[in-house]
């Protein structure tokens, strides 16, 4: 019989919220968070009801700021920008460094907020915080040569990001943008992360960084955050539909932009025999339930290797650990080591479950269908946001699982017989952020990998967004605008010599670094 689990003492949402009230009373109220603009915390906007994906219980949602207030916030950010751009680099470095020290001091609280707000397991929540801190420190230490001959943008940087990496993507970008001499605006994602971002913004504001944090409907705030003439650059991370609308707007206005969008990242298997390596990597590919822009949800497998592939894949996928991220057997037990917890909400879990059922009805073959009965849960808890791993062979072309990223723990397998079929299947989404080709022959990899339309292609190993000096971008519809990572992130949010063409994927040119 499985042991009865309890919520680890001291980790309840109420515990985290009380800590927020104690650490940053200027930004938190008893039942809601404030918006930050004009260098002060402002009440305003109806707070949306919210529940945690962890167990469906109530948590604090984002305040819904009105469009006219967002316009005021943008104008106030321009005033901050005009002052901040003249602050000497040494002082900017000192202030960002002090912010990083404060984030480090409250690392565990930030991570606990991520667990409750977006369902990250403890290990991955801590990693999200640590990657933000360590990544920005790299820039603080080495930004001076990156800024040689460059200056801030004409206006602040507007950041609109998805909910899955509030710290290592959004806060990381915001602090580097400020370090480079820009005021920074961020929209808190509607789906989760507002408390974590509010705490991070409060710590940054205390050090004098020109941070603006607002919440609200993307459609209602886009006039201010995307179209405002005050905005110097739009940085977006999210889906293709929203990204395409933003791309059209920024192109019409000639505005600097960084638009990271989804793509179907694929793992090709061709003339491959190192099955132990594949078995070892499969659980890592399920980190955070594949709710990552660099997740691999599609395997393209040489038909003659399918039996060997399944023999390596199935034991690994059956070992996936999921459940309540804060459930323990005894009060003193460490928090569990899980591959993933819930998806971002119950609606997403149902949507994916329905897509799986529909694909099977139309001919997909289920080669693995996990069960929540194998997960770690509290007695009687709500598990509606959880989905066990599923693997489908040959999803039909009519299914979204055939051509789009599921953003959940659903793998699909496509069998191919020729190299041409392999490449066509790996390029199914017209551009991706990452891909991998597993083949024993280095010459085969060297010949085929340049034909895979992904910004990064691994040889038998996964690729990631990267940190520090590793560049990042995308091909086709997966990316629009300037590439980032390393010195390119600084270049993307600064001005250089006249006529400079930054590396990126633009309507009129595609320039690799």
């Amino acid at each position: 019989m499985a042991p009865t689990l309890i919520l680890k003492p001291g980790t309840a949402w109420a515990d985290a919220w009380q800590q927020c009230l104690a650490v940053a009373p200027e930004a938190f109220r008893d039942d809601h968070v404030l918006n930050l603009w004009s260098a002060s915390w402002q009440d305003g906007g109806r707070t949306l009801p919210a529940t945690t994906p962890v167990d469906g219980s109530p948590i604090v949602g984002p305040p819904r700021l009105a469009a006219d207030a967002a316009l005021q916030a943008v104008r106030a950010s321009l005033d901050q920008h005009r002052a901040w751009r003249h602050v000497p680099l040494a002082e900017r470095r000192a202030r960002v460094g002090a912010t990083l020290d404060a984030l480090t001091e409250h690392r565990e609280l930030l991570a606990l907020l991520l667990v409750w707000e977006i369902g990250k397991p403890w290990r991955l929540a801590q990693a999200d915080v640590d990657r933000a801190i360590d990544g920005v420190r790299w820039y603080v230490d080495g930004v001076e040569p990156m800024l040689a001959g460059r200056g801030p943008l004409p206006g602040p940087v507007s950041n609109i990001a998805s909910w899955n990496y509030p710290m290592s993507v959004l806060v990381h970008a915001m602090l580097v943008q400020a370090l480079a001499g820009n005021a920074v605006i961020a929209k808190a994602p509607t789906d989760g992360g507002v408390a974590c971002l509010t705490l991070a913004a409060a710590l940054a504001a205390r050090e004098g960084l020109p941070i603006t944090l607002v919440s609200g409907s993307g459609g209602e705030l886009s006039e201010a955050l995307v179209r405002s003439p005050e905005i110097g650059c739009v940085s977006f991370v999210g889906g293709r539909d929203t990204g395409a609308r933003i791309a059209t707007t920024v192109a019409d206005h000639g505005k600097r932009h960084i638009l990271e969008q989804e793509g179907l990242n694929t793992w090709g298997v061709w003339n491959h025999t190192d099955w132990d390596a594949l078995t070892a990597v499969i659980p890592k590919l399920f980190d955070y339930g594949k709710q990552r822009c660099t997740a691999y949800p599609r395997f393209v497998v040489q038909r003659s290797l399918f039996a060997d592939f399944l023999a390596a894949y199935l034991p690994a996928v059956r070992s996936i650990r999921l459940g309540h991220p804060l459930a323990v057997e005894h009060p003193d037990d460490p928090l569990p080591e899980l591959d993933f917890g819930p998806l971002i909400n119950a609606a997403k879990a149902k949507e994916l479950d329905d897509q799986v059922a529909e694909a099977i009805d139309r001919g997909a073959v289920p080669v693995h269908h996990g069960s929540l009965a194998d997960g770690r849960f509290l007695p009687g808890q709500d598990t509606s946001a959880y989905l066990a791993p599923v693997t489908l062979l040959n999803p039909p072309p009519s299914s979204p699982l055939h051509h789009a990223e599921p953003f959940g723990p659903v793998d699909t397998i496509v069998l191919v017989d020729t190299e041409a079929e392999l490449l066509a299947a790996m390029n199914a989404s017209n551009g991706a952020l990452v891909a991998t080709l597993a083949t024993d022959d280095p010459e085969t990899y060297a010949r085929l990998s340049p034909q895979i339309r992904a910004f990064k292609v691994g040889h038998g190993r996964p690729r990631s967004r990267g940190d520090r000096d590793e560049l990042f971008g995308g091909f086709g519809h997966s990316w629009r605008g300037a590439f980032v990572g390393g010195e390119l992130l600084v270049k993307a949010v600064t001005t250089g010599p006249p006529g400079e063409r930054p590396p990126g994927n633009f309507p009129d040119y595609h320039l690799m670094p």
Side-chain angles (χ1 to χ4, degrees):
M1 178 182 294
T4 300
L5 302 179
I6 60 170
L7 182 70
K8 185 173 177 65
T11 67
W13 168 255
D15 298 320
W17 189 255
Q18 289 302 312
Q19 290 183 63
C20 290
L21 290 170
V23 171
E26 70 272 30
F28 292 84
R29 295 296 179 262
D30 287 343
D31 59 352
H32 65 283
V33 300
L34 304 182
N35 290 290
L36 172 62
W37 52 280
S38 194
S40 64
W41 291 95
Q42 317 242 3
D43 224 329
R46 179 176 60 88
T47 298
L48 298 177
T51 57
T52 170
V54 171
D55 61 8
S57 59
I59 59 173
V60 171
R64 196 179 186 95
L65 196 67
D68 58 344
L71 285 170
Q72 293 181 54
V74 169
R75 291 167 186 148
S77 181
L78 178 61
D79 292 338
Q80 288 183 302
H81 182 84
R82 287 170 172 164
W84 180 254
R85 63 181 297 155
H86 298 297
V87 172
L89 176 59
E91 184 176 342
R92 300 200 305 263
R93 291 173 67 180
R95 290 178 183 272
V96 173
T99 299
L100 297 176
D101 292 341
L103 294 174
T104 302
E105 179 183 355
H106 299 290
R107 166 183 179 263
E108 293 203 349
L109 174 55
L110 290 161
L112 184 58
L113 292 170
L114 291 180
V115 173
W116 280 111
E117 292 193 282
I118 62 173
K120 284 204 170 186
W122 182 241
R123 172 179 60 84
L124 299 178
Q126 289 179 303
D128 192 13
V129 177
D130 292 343
R131 284 182 60 193
I133 296 169
D134 296 343
V136 179
R137 283 200 192 281
W138 182 84
Y139 284 96
V140 170
D141 293 339
V143 75
E144 190 167 1
M146 301 181 200
L147 287 173
R150 309 191 66 80
L153 296 171
V157 183
S158 177
N159 294 269
I160 303 169
S162 57
W163 43 265
N164 52 343
Y165 283 90
M167 292 296 298
S168 62
V169 174
L170 182 52
V171 170
H172 177 279
M174 292 164 60
L175 294 182
V176 175
Q177 292 159 8
L179 180 65
N182 303 290
V184 177
I185 305 168
K187 176 188 172 298
T190 303
D191 286 328
V194 66
C196 178
L197 287 170
T198 299
L199 178 58
L203 299 175
R206 286 180 182 176
E207 303 303 334
L209 296 190
I211 300 289
T212 294
L213 180 66
V214 296
S215 301
S217 161
E220 189 170 356
L221 300 191
S222 64
E223 186 70 32
L225 301 183
V226 177
R227 297 183 178 88
S228 290
E230 293 89 347
I231 299 296
C233 175
V234 176
S235 178
F236 168 82
V237 180
R240 287 193 178 188
D241 291 343
T242 303
R245 290 193 293 271
I246 292 176
T248 300
T249 300
V250 295
D252 290 345
H253 291 79
K255 202 182 294 290
R256 184 75 63 90
H257 56 284
I258 307 161
L259 309 181
E260 177 186 331
Q261 301 166 156
E262 61 191 351
L264 185 60
N265 306 316
T266 58
W267 189 292
V269 180
W270 189 263
N271 292 340
H272 175 76
T273 60
D274 189 359
W275 301 112
D276 289 343
L278 180 68
T279 299
V281 80
I282 292 299
K284 297 181 178 66
L285 300 184
F286 276 90
D287 272 358
Y288 194 34
K290 303 210 174 195
Q291 298 178 104
R292 299 177 290 124
C293 63
T294 54
Y296 287 83
R298 167 67 52 80
F299 290 89
V300 182
V301 181
Q302 189 175 6
R303 191 181 305 272
S304 60
L305 299 180
F306 183 49
D308 292 331
F309 172 85
L310 282 185
Y313 175 89
L314 289 175
V317 77
R318 289 169 181 153
S319 72
I320 297 297
R321 302 157 300 177
L322 78 155
H324 191 303
L326 304 172
V328 295
E329 187 175 350
H330 304 290
D332 294 334
D333 287 349
L335 290 170
E337 282 284 334
L338 301 174
D339 297 296
F340 64 94
L343 302 192
I344 186 58
N345 52 48
K348 178 61 179 179
K350 183 180 186 306
E351 173 192 295
L352 268 184
D353 199 35
D354 289 346
Q355 288 180 1
V356 168
E358 183 179 49
I360 293 172
D361 286 344
R362 295 180 180 180
V365 179
V367 298
H368 174 73
H369 209 148
S371 170
L372 293 185
D374 299 323
R376 293 171 47 90
F377 299 106
L378 299 178
Q381 83 159 81
D382 185 329
T383 60
S384 58
Y386 293 78
L387 185 71
V390 178
T391 308
L392 301 179
L393 173 65
N394 289 337
S398 59
S399 169
L401 299 175
H402 178 81
H403 55 79
E405 181 182 9
F407 230 62
V410 179
D411 277 346
T412 57
I413 303 170
V414 173
L415 302 182
V416 295
D417 296 299
T418 67
E419 290 183 354
E421 289 179 302
L422 173 79
L423 292 170
M426 293 190 72
N427 293 330
S429 68
N430 186 23
L433 303 176
V434 296
T436 290
L437 179 59
T439 181
D440 293 347
D441 182 15
E443 292 184 4
T444 299
Y445 175 81
R447 177 167 49 83
L448 296 181
S449 60
Q451 302 177 66
I452 299 170
R453 288 183 55 76
F455 189 79
K456 296 180 181 181
V457 181
H459 187 183
R461 63 185 181 89
R463 299 304 308 271
S464 69
R465 204 175 193 278
D467 295 301
R468 299 180 174 86
D469 59 352
E470 190 170 354
L471 309 181
F472 193 56
F475 281 109
H477 291 166
S478 68
W479 195 281
R480 300 170 191 260
F483 294 148
V484 296
E487 66 177 3
L488 290 190
L489 176 53
V490 172
K491 183 174 286 189
V493 295
T494 52
T495 58
E500 178 184 61
R501 300 205 318 168
N505 188 24
F506 294 91
D508 54 342
Y509 74 90
H510 181 97
L511 179 63
M512 290 297 291

